[in-house]
């Protein structure tokens, strides 16, 4: 199967590969997919207290399209608010990368990763606030 | 070095220039039909076909009149299974094969099972019509069958016992190294078994099966023995006499011959019969009608002759290349797992899983090297390799597998280039892999509740 130019470009020069400190209260980590299915994405977002995504890092086990999808969303989410990032859909990702039908699940995974990372951040914040209100 | 490098010799092989030379006259001036008995064009074509038939026979220890030319191994496998099931249907209706066989065997078996099942369904419908005394709508069959307790109905059982269409098929599991257990095989043979089909060597993991022992067992039990010998012929010893093989599928394009030409070996003594699956002018002693592909057959013959005379030296050279590649990959990378048996293996086959790296991504990274992967992403079905799964390889490791197929035209320099490239890219992809990071941190990946998708 031939890959689109954009998939190849992201695959060969992936943006924002790496790891953020998951114990940092401002870092949300989303881990989606399954090794048995052949793709696992980990997206980490550093989100400011006022809800703006300042940094994004990913690591992905998966095919070229999965890696390209992850790389693309790290570019897209930076600078966006949490609410704006949640609006990103798999359709937009698939369209941008010209993914063929058999690779649509890679874009679904990328969308899920954004949502999971934000969910994790919100959960951490809620726990922090609960702890703060308990101690006060 | 010229790129890309071809290291996918289980998929197909390059045409040997000596084979092409032998074929050319039969694509030019000697274009005759081998079945034309009354002029020189036909005679020349026929003579060329008969010479090739002898060359192919010699490669596998057969007689020339035991070779039936076909369009390739898929047709040969279909002909062996369907042809034997039909011809011997009064003798029995059961076939034993392995879960790791080629799809041409597995799907021929499935069709035979479906044919039998359809006939049984028809009988069920007839019986219900008889019992209810009227028309039976297909959607009511299940309810009526339960109502009339058809599974215990002696009349239907008697009818079913005369069904002679299709077959029942046992697909045996293999051991961890990909080989069949002779005990399990012996236990699977019943008094209804007509045929056992076990491949010489597997196309994905290169595992070589103990054919001589299987042949002995089949002969003792009075069961026909078919072998899909495609991947192993010309690479490891294969002899229909000493291995007591009755039917064998071979093809030209895996031994540096042209595509579109293969053969089925059909034993003469004791005589083995098969019903044809292609009807027509009665070529190939009635077993395979259709004008002979003379140029292809000549190429097949030449390729077989080269394979026979050069096999010993060539296999030793290719084995040394394979071991060089294996040693380099395994010494420079951690967590590289060999799939299949090391001892009972085709010399040119290396199938390994690079843990925590997805196979298609790795193939994309080494795009100047032609290999193949058991990753689901490289298959249309999105299922990882059924061969690796049958070995008990975990799904994630199947996704991480790469098959290197070394052949006649690979060099040591190519092996070194490929090894360096693979090592670099695996390292790079592992740096990008969350699983590798987690594994290094000591996280047990099996303890995580993954979301299957």
């Amino acid at each position: 199967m031939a890959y689109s130019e954009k998939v190849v470009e992201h695959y060969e020069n992936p943006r924002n590969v790496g790891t953020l400190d998951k114990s940092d209260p401002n870092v949300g980590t989303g881990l989606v997919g399954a090794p048995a299915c052949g793709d696992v994405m980990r997206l980490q977002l550093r989100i400011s207290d006022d809800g703006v995504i300042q940094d994004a890092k990913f690591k992905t086990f998966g095919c070229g399209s999965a890696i390209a999808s992850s790389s693309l969303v790290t570019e897209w989410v930076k600078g966006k608010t949490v609410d704006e990032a949640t609006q990103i859909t798999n359709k937009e990702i698939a369209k941008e990368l010209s993914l063929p039908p058999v690779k649509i699940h890679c874009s679904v995974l990328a969308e899920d990763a954004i949502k999971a990372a934000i969910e994790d951040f919100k959960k951490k914040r809620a726990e922090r606030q609960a702890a703060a209100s308990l101690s006060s | 070095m010229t790129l890309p490098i071809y290291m996918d010799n289980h998929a197909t092989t390059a045409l040997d220039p000596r084979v092409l030379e032998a074929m050319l006259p039969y694509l030019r001036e000697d274009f005759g039909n081998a079945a034309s008995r009354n002029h020189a064009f036909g005679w020349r074509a026929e003579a060329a076909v008969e010479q090739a038939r002898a060359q192919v026979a010699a490669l596998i220890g057969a007689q020339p009149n035991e070779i039936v030319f076909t369009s390739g191994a898929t047709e040969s496998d279909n002909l062996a299974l369907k042809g034997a099931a039909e011809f011997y249907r009064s003798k029995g209706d059961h076939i034993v094969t392995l879960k790791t066989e080629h799809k041409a065997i597995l799907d021929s078996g499935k069709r035979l099972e479906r044919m039998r099942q359809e006939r049984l369904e028809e009988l069920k419908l007839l019986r219900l019509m008889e019992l209810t005394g009227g028309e039976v709508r297909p959607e009511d069959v299940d309810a009526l069958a339960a109502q009339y307790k058809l599974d215990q109905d002696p009349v239907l059982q008697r009818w079913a016992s005369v069904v002679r269409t299709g077959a029942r098929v046992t697909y045996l599991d293999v051991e961890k190294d990909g080989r069949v257990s002779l005990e399990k095989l012996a236990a699977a043979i019943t008094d209804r078994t007509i045929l056992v089909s076990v491949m010489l060597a597997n196309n994905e993991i290169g595992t070589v099966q103990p054919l001589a022992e299987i042949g002995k067992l089949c002969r003792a039990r009075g069961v026909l023995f078919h072998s899909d010998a495609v991947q192993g012929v010309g690479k490891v010893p294969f002899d229909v006499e000493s291995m007591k093989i009755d039917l064998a599928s071979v093809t030209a394009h895996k031994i540096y011959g042209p595509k579109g030409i293969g053969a089925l070996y059909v034993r003469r003594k004791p005589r083995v019969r098969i019903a044809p699956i292609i009807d027509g002018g009665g070529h190939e002693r009635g077993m395979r009608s259709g004008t002979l592909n003379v140029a292809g057959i000549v190429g097949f013959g030449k390729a077989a002759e080269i394979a026979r005379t050069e096999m010993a030296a060539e296999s030793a050279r290719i084995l040394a290349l394979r071991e060089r590649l294996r040693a380099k990959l395994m010494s420079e990378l951690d967590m590289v797992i060999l799939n299949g048996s090391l001892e009972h293996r085709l010399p040119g086959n290396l199938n390994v899983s690079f843990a925590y790296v997805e196979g298609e991504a790795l193939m994309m990274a080494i795009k100047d090297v032609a290999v193949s992967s058991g990753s689901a992403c490289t298959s249309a079905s999105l299922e990882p390799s059924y061969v690796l799964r049958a070995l008990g390889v975990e799904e994630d490791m199947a996704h991480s597998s790469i098959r290197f197929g070394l052949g006649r035209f690979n060099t040591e320099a190519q092996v070194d280039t490929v090894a360096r490239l693979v090592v670099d890219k695996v390292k790079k992809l592992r740096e990008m892999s969350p699983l590798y990071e987690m594994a290094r941190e000591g996280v047990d990946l099996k303890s995580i509740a993954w979301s299957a998708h």
Side-chain angles (χ1 to χ4, degrees), chain B residues 125-137 144 148:
Chain B
L125 192 67
L126 287 173
R127 179 63 180 144
L128 286 173
M129 285 165 72
E130 192 177 64
L131 287 166
T132 59
E135 287 296 309
V136 173
R137 291 183 305 172
L144 288 169
Y148 286 96

Side-chain angles (χ1 to χ4, degrees), chain A residues 1 3 7-8 11-12 14 17 19 22 31-40 42 59-64 67 102-103 105 109, chain B residues 356-358 360-362 364-365 367 377 382 384 395-396 399-400 428-435 437-438 441 448 450-453:
Chain A
M1 183 176 28
Y3 300 94
V7 168
V8 173
Y11 175 77
E12 286 179 350
V17 174
T19 307
K22 59 176 180 281
L31 183 67
V32 295
C37 301
D39 30 34
V40 173
R42 190 189 66 194
K59 282 200 177 187
T60 289
F61 162 78
C63 65
I67 290 170
V102 294
K103 295 295 183 188
H105 69 276
L109 215 53
Chain B
Y356 316 121
V357 172
E358 200 277 327
E360 187 190 337
L362 181 55
M364 195 171 163
K367 60 180 187 300
C377 295
L382 288 181
E395 277 180 321
D396 54 336
H399 284 291
S400 300
K428 183 178 159 232
L429 285 166
R430 279 179 173 173
E431 281 311 306
M432 233 192 266
S433 168
L435 304 179
E437 184 184 305
M438 290 160 82
E441 285 170 356
I448 293 173
W450 299 103
S451 53
H453 53 281

Side-chain angles (χ1 to χ4, degrees), chain B residues 263-306:
Chain B
L264 181 67
Y265 159 78
V266 183
R267 176 173 289 281
R268 296 274 281 186
K269 283 180 192 163
R271 192 169 183 198
V272 171
R273 308 283 299 272
I274 47 168
I277 54 174
I278 294 177
D279 297 304
H283 307 75
E284 299 297 275
R285 288 173 292 121
M287 284 182 267
R288 205 284 190 176
S289 288
T291 297
L292 292 178
N293 169 5
V294 177
I297 289 169
V298 168
F300 191 5
K302 185 65 185 175
E305 184 192 274
I306 296 169

Side-chain angles (χ1 to χ4, degrees), chain A residues 54-72:
Chain A
Q54 294 164 320
D55 199 6
K57 295 277 183 205
F58 84 94
K59 282 200 177 187
T60 289
F61 162 78
C63 65
S65 303
I67 290 170
S69 298
S70 334
S71 169
L72 177 69

Side-chain angles (χ1 to χ4, degrees), chain B residues 386-400:
Chain B
Y386 68 91
V387 172
L388 294 178
R389 298 290 294 133
L391 255 57
V393 173
E394 296 285 339
E395 277 180 321
D396 54 336
M397 291 302 272
H399 284 291
S400 300

Side-chain angles (χ1 to χ4, degrees), chain B residues 357-432:
Chain B
V357 172
E358 200 277 327
E360 187 190 337
L362 181 55
M363 282 175 67
M364 195 171 163
I366 55 167
K367 60 180 187 300
D368 287 330
V369 184
V371 294
S372 91
S373 169
S375 158
C377 295
T378 61
S379 77
S381 65
L382 288 181
E383 288 296 320
S385 154
Y386 68 91
V387 172
L388 294 178
R389 298 290 294 133
L391 255 57
V393 173
E394 296 285 339
E395 277 180 321
D396 54 336
M397 291 302 272
H399 284 291
S400 300
S401 72
I402 294 284
R403 178 187 70 181
F404 301 90
L406 293 141
R408 180 173 292 168
F409 302 110
N410 287 123
T411 62
E412 205 171 272
Q414 285 181 332
V415 165
D416 293 351
T417 302
V418 169
R420 201 168 53 242
L421 200 60
V422 170
V423 167
D424 284 354
K425 298 299 181 182
V426 167
K427 283 183 177 163
K428 183 178 159 232
L429 285 166
R430 279 179 173 173
E431 281 311 306
M432 233 192 266

